[in-house]
Every structure is written in C-alpha cells, then in structure tokens.
Amino acid sequence: VRARLPVRKIVGMKAAWLVGIYHAVSYGSMLSFGNWVPSLLAEALPGRTATQLAWGGALVMLVSGLGRISGGFVIFRISPYVVAHGSILGICLLFGGLAVIPGPAVVLTLALLGAWFGSFVFGSLFQLANRSAPAESLGALLGFINFLANLGAAAFTLLFGLAKDELGSFTWAF
C-alpha cells in the first residue's frame, strides 16, 4: 500500500500546477463565453441588447456539453497530452480572433469554438492528473486542480467585465 501524499507535496507538484492552470484556462474560458457571449453579440450588433441575445449564452453551454462528451471519446484514441496542448492552443487562437470583435456571426462562431475547446479538454486533464499521483492521493490532487480551475473561472469572468467597464469594449479582454 502506497502512502498518501501530504497536501504540501501536492501543492508543490509541477504536474498539479500545469494541469490546474490548463483547467483554469479552459474552464475559465468556457464559463466566460457562456456568461459574456450575449454582451459580445450586443457589442457586435449595435441596437441590440444582451437580454435580446441571451440565447447565445445558452447555445454556448450546449456546445460546451457536447465538447465535453466528444473529448471523452477522443482521449481513447489520441494522447491526452495532444488533446490538452491542442485545446489550449485553440483557445488562445480564438481569443486572438475575438480581440478584433468582428461581425456577430464570427463572434458567435469563435465563442462556440472556444466553449467546445474549453470543454473538449476536460477528460484529458483528469487523465493526466490521474497519472501524476498515487490513487490514495487523487482526491486531494483533483481538489487542488479544481480549486485552480475555479479561480480561473472567477478571474476570467471578473476581468472580462472590468475590461468592458474600464475600456468600453470587450476587445481589450482578449
């Protein structure tokens, strides 16, 4: 029987931080898109309000669920490292595209792709986490990774709102 790792050891693990930061970026992106896409669309469609475009947030969450399901199947055939790195790269590229706040169709497409990539990576991150610690320590490891993911979700949501308020546009948030 292997001994459980103490929490201080888990917090010091490079793998825990890497997977946690990836999870923070992916989860933070997905939740931010769900929260902010109606406002992004309103910015791209002058004269429309976020309330009128609230369906966009629901669509983002639907695509997110489909991304999580499809990613779960892909990791049976593709390395979780490839899925994790590819998804994070995809999110970063999509943020770059959204930085110019193009037309509404492009905004919605990029946001949906961001939500898909943000959720597609989910299974690979937990597969990588499972390889990083003994089974007796996975609860604490996954708790730490989820802690970082939730910090990322809160930070993304807050920073997007602050960017909009302070700079007048979501462009600077990306």
Side-chain angles (χ1 to χ4, degrees):
V1 174
R2 296 191 303 186
R4 247 188 314 232
L5 297 174
V7 172
R8 72 181 185 294
K9 176 90 170 161
I10 289 170
V11 170
M13 291 173 56
K14 180 181 172 185
W17 281 95
L18 181 62
V19 172
I21 290 169
Y22 270 34
H23 196 22
V25 169
S26 63
Y27 189 60
S29 298
M30 183 273 300
L31 283 180
S32 290
F33 285 132
N35 291 330
W36 290 114
V37 83
S39 297
L40 279 165
L41 288 171
E43 191 170 315
L45 286 165
R48 303 293 296 273
T49 68
T51 302
Q52 293 170 320
L53 301 165
W55 56 266
L59 187 57
V60 164
M61 299 314 277
L62 173 65
V63 169
S64 170
L66 296 173
R68 190 171 284 193
I69 291 168
S70 61
F73 289 112
V74 167
I75 60 173
F76 291 123
R77 297 183 183 253
I78 298 176
S79 162
Y81 295 101
V82 172
V83 172
H85 296 313
S87 293
I88 298 300
L89 177 62
I91 290 168
C92 292
L93 292 173
L94 293 167
F95 277 144
L98 283 166
V100 296
I101 306 289
V106 176
V107 166
L108 185 58
T109 301
L110 293 176
L112 291 174
L113 284 170
W116 186 80
F117 277 115
S119 292
F120 183 80
V121 71
F122 188 80
S124 68
L125 295 176
F126 284 91
Q127 193 174 64
L128 293 172
N130 283 330
R131 295 177 181 180
S132 302
E136 298 81 12
S137 299
L138 287 178
L141 175 64
L142 295 174
F144 178 68
I145 289 169
N146 279 311
F147 169 75
L148 293 176
N150 284 297
L151 282 178
F156 270 69
T157 303
L158 179 62
L159 291 174
F160 276 69
L162 287 173
K164 174 69 173 165
D165 287 350
E166 296 298 322
L167 304 168
S169 173
F170 281 107
T171 300
W172 298 102
F174 297 104

